[in-house]
Amino acid sequence: FQAEDGIRDRSPSRGLGDVYKRQGSRNDSVNHLGMFAKYWEVGSVKTRLASKIGGEAASQIYFECLAVLIDRFASVADIRTLAYTPVSQMAEFTELAGIAWTLGPQSTGHLGRRMSHFFESAFQGGAERVILIGSDSPHIPRSWLEQSWQILRDNEVVLGPTADGGYYLIGMSRFEPELFRDIRWSSSYVMDDTRSRVRDRNLSVGELPDWYDIDEFEDLHRLRRDLKQDPPGDTDWTKLLSAIDAVI
């Protein structure tokens, strides 16, 4: 959640409130996991990576990262929402998400506005703890997501910082829209600004270990090395590794 996810989508959207209408009453649900995803159109995803490896290769790698995350976290929470954009690609996302994830279109506006809307809708739907991740860190340890739920039992916020100054995960135990206001999106100050909002609101916070997104060519090398040496055993990494091997 730093740079490319900040691209605006002005497509009309029904909003995530419809997710709960389709699911019926879910007051028994406690933990809600969301993942922001963008359609993998060539030239619209992983643009920094594409400048090194080409648009088609970058698009394929993004798609495989997204597919891996959908599979790995298919049982992590009571409700799992794939918040997608643009709304016109619903059929493609439906096929990819399968039965373990509910689809919900992202709202319109800048990244902070869309994230805020997601959290607001999730809490209005009855969730007690809500976590949102991006689709740029395919091998986040699953145990860290489980740890996040525990952190939110005792804290109002959980954050997972990235090395480039953003974050790969944000979670709340109550809706705090201020965490998305006056943030310098698409910069290395996203995490610093978010921490400032947390302090301004006097919120209790827990932080996960640092991790990294797959934005640059060097990140791809690191991911390849990590997956070759010690791949998480909760999914099949073959297709993603093949896509990476094709360009390295």
Side-chain angles (χ1 to χ4, degrees):
F1 294 113
Q2 187 203 43
E4 293 176 51
D5 279 329
I7 299 173
R8 298 190 179 196
D9 170 33
R10 289 183 167 80
S11 301
S13 169
R14 294 171 297 165
L16 283 168
D18 290 327
V19 168
Y20 297 95
K21 294 176 185 177
R22 291 194 301 273
Q23 293 184 134
S25 177
R26 293 300 301 269
N27 291 329
D28 58 322
S29 297
V30 175
N31 297 332
H32 188 151
L33 172 66
M35 179 163 60
F36 266 26
K38 187 177 180 181
Y39 182 61
W40 45 93
E41 181 181 4
V42 174
S44 68
V45 294
K46 295 294 163 204
T47 54
R48 282 180 282 169
L49 189 59
S51 68
K52 294 287 188 182
I53 66 174
E56 290 190 10
S59 173
Q60 184 64 34
I61 287 172
Y62 175 79
F63 174 83
E64 298 299 347
C65 287
L66 180 56
V68 159
L69 285 164
I70 287 172
D71 181 58
R72 293 186 64 214
F73 299 147
S75 61
V76 163
D78 301 300
I79 300 175
R80 291 164 299 279
T81 298
L82 185 63
Y84 67 94
T85 186
V87 67
S88 59
Q89 302 298 326
M90 180 180 179
E92 287 78 1
F93 282 103
T94 298
E95 181 178 357
L96 180 63
I99 63 173
W101 292 76
T102 298
L103 291 183
Q106 294 179 30
S107 65
T108 57
H110 61 73
L111 177 59
R113 182 176 178 180
R114 287 182 278 136
M115 294 172 71
S116 181
H117 180 266
F118 172 81
F119 276 94
E120 182 178 21
S121 297
F123 282 115
Q124 286 178 348
E128 295 182 19
R129 289 172 288 276
V130 183
I131 289 172
L132 181 61
I133 61 173
S135 44
D136 300 321
S137 301
H139 65 315
I140 307 170
R142 180 189 171 102
S143 61
W144 291 1
L145 269 72
E146 301 292 354
Q147 182 182 348
S148 296
W149 302 124
Q150 295 302 315
I151 289 173
L152 289 177
R153 291 184 179 276
D154 301 312
N155 295 274
E156 292 148 315
V157 178
V158 60
L159 295 168
T162 55
D164 60 4
Y167 52 76
Y168 59 87
L169 177 151
I170 183 170
M172 303 178 194
S173 57
R174 71 183 192 196
F175 181 45
E176 290 288 345
E178 292 296 327
L179 268 59
F180 305 109
R181 294 174 182 159
D182 299 321
I183 304 296
R184 287 170 285 182
W185 302 109
S186 304
S187 78
S188 60
Y189 299 102
V190 170
M191 188 63 179
D192 287 343
D193 290 347
T194 304
R195 288 180 175 129
S196 293
R197 298 293 86 72
V198 169
R199 289 193 296 270
D200 292 344
R201 294 284 296 154
N202 195 29
L203 301 173
S204 57
V205 59
E207 290 197 9
L208 300 169
D210 289 3
W211 204 237
Y212 63 97
D213 289 333
I214 311 303
D215 290 324
E216 307 283 355
F217 192 54
E218 294 76 14
D219 301 327
L220 205 58
H221 275 280
R222 181 178 175 183
L223 175 62
R224 181 177 182 269
R225 182 182 66 248
D226 288 348
L227 292 180
K228 295 280 189 181
Q229 292 177 352
D230 188 24
D234 51 9
T235 194
D236 183 358
W237 298 93
T238 304
K239 291 183 179 179
L240 177 54
L241 274 171
S242 295
I244 296 172
D245 286 341
V247 296
I248 292 181

